[in-house]
Amino acid sequence: QVQLVESGGGLVQAGGSLTLSCAASGRTFSGYTMGWFRLAPGKEREFVATISWSGDRRYYVDSKNGRFTISRDNAKNMVYLQMNSLKPEDTAVYYCTARAATSQGYDYWGQGTQVTVSS
């Protein structure tokens, strides 16, 4: 059974940092693109970041500010999202995702981890 399990969410003050982790299990994720999405109350699900299998391609929702950094450790089947200079508008449930190279959409989703940024 494929599982993506997020952790690392919590309550943080504006300007603070958090690192989210995603542990993947149940199959080999060789060749998979991994990503993070978020869902805030009253809003649609939003893309946050993705990283290719080799890590050489990374995309972010806002590439200009550089507040978020996605990384992965393929040996451990782990994906991370380092979030700095957090803002109240970053408050959301953050979901880890996995997409096979041949897929149009994302194949697997985690249950999510809550991030709350207080002002």
Side-chain angles (χ1 to χ4, degrees):
Q1 181 180 358
V2 174
Q3 278 193 312
L4 299 178
V5 180
E6 303 94 336
S7 61
L11 175 64
V12 64
Q13 289 188 333
S17 299
L18 280 175
T19 298
L20 305 183
S21 299
C22 173
S25 64
R27 62 157 298 136
T28 176
F29 285 88
S30 177
Y32 275 64
T33 291
M34 303 297 292
W36 291 92
F37 281 72
R38 64 186 181 186
L39 181 61
K43 296 185 178 180
E44 293 187 353
R45 187 173 61 194
E46 180 183 35
F47 163 81
V48 177
T50 58
I51 184 169
S52 62
W53 166 250
S54 63
D56 62 339
R57 295 188 303 277
R58 310 181 193 203
Y59 301 101
Y60 298 95
V61 60
D62 183 356
S63 61
K64 297 178 182 179
N65 292 330
R67 295 188 300 121
F68 294 176
T69 302
I70 189 170
S71 61
R72 66 191 295 167
D73 184 337
N74 291 333
K76 297 181 179 179
N77 275 350
M78 295 291 296
V79 181
Y80 306 97
L81 185 68
Q82 172 70 42
M83 304 186 294
N84 299 323
S85 302
L86 284 163
K87 305 174 182 179
E89 50 264 44
D90 293 318
T91 294
V93 178
Y94 284 71
Y95 296 91
C96 178
T97 66
R99 186 182 76 225
T102 55
S103 293
Q104 295 279 346
Y106 287 88
D107 301 283
Y108 305 106
W109 293 81
Q111 293 299 306
T113 185
Q114 176 71 47
V115 172
T116 303
V117 184
S118 63
S119 57

